[in-house]
Amino acid sequence: MSAFRLAHASAENWGRAAKSCVDQLGPADGATLGFVYVTDRLSADLDGILTVLREMTGVRHWIGTVGLGVVATGREYFDEPAMAVMLCGLPSDSFRVFPTVAKKAGELRASTADWK
């Protein structure tokens, strides 16, 4: 997989939106990194969304964020539960996903101290 693939969906039920995105993406063969962007209306469900995306795609590494809106090809989602998901295939040794750091930058420095 060399190109980015994009999917997006809106649904009152986050599970339906996640399934719709996975269905739009198709097989995740060769994908090594996923991006997920959700509107603030889905922020409380992000742990579940990530679990489902990992299980349904087989992609282990995910990054992303929460915002007031999500913009995707030909569509903008505001004030509604929505997500945009991208997959790409990068060599596994060409990227690193930082751990979630909620409090101090020192935690991030400490967690990456042994990186080459």
Side-chain angles (χ1 to χ4, degrees), residues 3 24 28 32 44 73 86 91-92 98 104 111:
Q24 291 172 55
T32 55
T73 305
M86 286 191 311
S92 295
F98 292 111
K104 299 177 182 174
S111 69

Side-chain angles (χ1 to χ4, degrees), residues 11-96:
E12 287 300 320
N13 176 299
W14 67 264
R16 285 190 196 123
K19 182 174 182 336
S20 177
C21 285
V22 171
D23 290 346
Q24 291 172 55
L25 291 169
D29 299 337
T32 55
L33 182 62
F35 299 78
V36 59
Y37 303 97
V38 301
T39 60
D40 55 342
R41 300 263 306 268
L42 292 179
S43 63
D45 301 308
L46 197 49
D47 286 339
I49 291 168
L50 286 169
T51 297
V52 166
L53 291 175
R54 282 185 181 112
E55 288 176 1
M56 293 182 78
T57 65
V59 176
R60 186 174 141 216
H61 301 290
W62 287 85
I63 59 173
T65 193
V66 175
L68 293 176
V70 172
V71 178
T73 305
R75 184 70 159 84
E76 298 173 0
Y77 299 96
F78 292 99
D79 200 28
E80 63 183 304
M83 67 178 70
V85 178
M86 286 191 311
L87 293 179
C88 69
L90 299 173
S92 295
D93 62 352
S94 70
F95 68 91
R96 293 192 191 236

